[in-house]
Amino acid sequence: MGPVDASPPVVAVDVGGTSIKAGVVSADGAVSRLVRATTPPAGADGKPVVDAVVAVLDGLVAGHPARRAAAVGVVVPGIVDERAGVAVGAENLGWQNVPLRDLLSDRLGCPVVLGHDVRAGGLAEHRTGACRGARNAAFVPVGTGIAAALVLDGRLFAGDGYAGEIGHVDVGGDLPCACGGRGCLETVASAAAVARRYTAASGTRVDGSRDVAARVRAGDPAAVAVWDEALDALSRGLAMLTGIVAPEVIAVGGGFAESADLVIAPLGERLADRLTFHRVPRVVPAELGDRAGCVGAGLLAWELLS
């Protein structure tokens, strides 16, 4: 047996609206000791989430010889100012202008980097997943909401924390959105919207888009109609994205893309049909699943140490 590595580990944390995922991440993005915890109600100051993250990290490093982390990467949803280390706002967490990076660094006694969950997932897919090798790419997770991480000329683009909000572009409908707008892509094409709209159309309650996909495969007319409308709206949103940033590849992830046979090829065909002179991007399934945020958070933490 070789010597035990006593070097402090690099730890990643992905804070979601319902759960917190954390793990030890190696320099090449491999995740080990992945653990999960329930995300507490956050409140405006974010303190319950800070407490929960500290508890998760304490558990992760408790059995390690160093008993501390070398660096920690934390990613969260919403609007994030990475340079300032501030979580500006997130509807599903309820906080506003929380200096998470400094709060966690003070509690943990080690360097902390704060990032956006989708952009971190895009970094991970670009470095180690479905977008590797592309200088211009987009990672689009379609889950409770829809967002995009943009890699432009080989670099992740943040737009001061506001870039990539493709879920809130107007795709021509009239459904109200939680953001205050109407006709947003999320109201038709998110995994949550697909389930909600199928229930409204059929009178049958379903647990999520995976249940709707099963009904599509069985030929349920209501399911087929809702699914087609979601793909049409998503292709419209991706056509706008393609016209502006011309990605070589678009990696689609999230709960909706778990039904890859009903999403990837049909979406790619619809997108190609909408384009004229544009470079048609390859539409591919994301590779890292729900680990993408943790992998990206870990890579950000490693950058602190380089």
Side-chain angles (χ1 to χ4, degrees):
M1 180 181 295
V4 175
D5 184 5
S7 302
V10 168
V11 179
V13 185
D14 181 0
V15 178
T18 58
S19 67
I20 296 171
K21 295 186 289 289
V24 174
V25 181
S26 63
D28 63 0
V31 180
S32 62
R33 299 188 63 197
L34 187 66
V35 297
R36 299 173 188 263
T38 300
T39 304
D45 64 358
K47 185 177 183 303
V49 169
V50 171
D51 291 343
V53 168
V54 170
V56 168
L57 292 179
D58 283 348
L60 265 178
V61 302
H64 193 277
R67 299 186 68 82
R68 65 180 180 86
V72 176
V74 180
V75 298
V76 298
I79 304 300
V80 181
D81 184 338
E82 284 102 335
R83 284 181 293 185
V86 173
V88 177
E91 284 181 14
N92 57 354
L93 289 171
W95 55 34
Q96 290 184 337
N97 296 316
V98 177
L100 275 179
R101 181 187 64 198
D102 292 345
L103 289 174
L104 286 167
S105 181
D106 289 346
R107 292 280 299 274
L108 297 169
C110 69
V112 174
V113 60
L114 180 68
H116 182 261
D117 56 353
V118 173
R119 283 193 288 277
L123 173 67
E125 290 286 352
H126 185 241
R127 294 267 184 92
T128 69
C131 299
R132 59 187 176 275
R135 283 192 59 77
N136 297 281
F139 166 55
V140 183
V142 183
T144 304
I146 304 174
L150 306 175
V151 176
L152 306 180
D153 288 333
R155 295 188 176 187
L156 206 63
F157 179 71
D160 297 321
Y162 290 88
E165 292 291 344
I166 190 175
H168 299 288
V169 299
D170 186 348
V171 293
D174 192 44
L175 294 172
C177 181
C179 75
R182 302 187 76 87
C184 293
L185 178 59
E186 279 188 10
T187 67
V188 181
S190 70
V194 166
R196 183 172 61 248
R197 296 183 73 240
Y198 174 77
T199 295
S202 67
T204 302
R205 188 171 186 82
V206 292
D207 289 334
S209 62
R210 187 181 301 177
D211 286 354
V212 181
R215 287 164 168 79
V216 172
R217 296 187 186 97
D220 180 331
V224 170
V226 166
W227 201 268
D228 283 346
E229 289 167 2
L231 289 175
D232 285 344
L234 192 53
S235 69
R236 185 184 295 272
L238 294 182
M240 295 180 196
L241 183 70
T242 299
I244 296 169
V245 298
E248 303 160 57
V249 58
I250 298 174
V252 183
F256 186 61
E258 289 177 358
S259 305
D261 58 315
L262 298 178
V263 173
I264 301 303
L267 180 58
E269 291 166 3
R270 283 171 166 82
L271 175 57
D273 287 345
R274 288 188 181 277
L275 303 176
T276 54
F277 63 89
H278 312 80
R279 174 173 64 186
V280 179
R282 292 183 294 114
V283 177
V284 301
E287 293 183 6
L288 300 178
D290 69 353
R291 295 181 296 113
C294 263
V295 174
L299 293 174
L300 291 173
W302 276 101
E303 289 180 359
L304 281 180
L305 302 176
S306 63

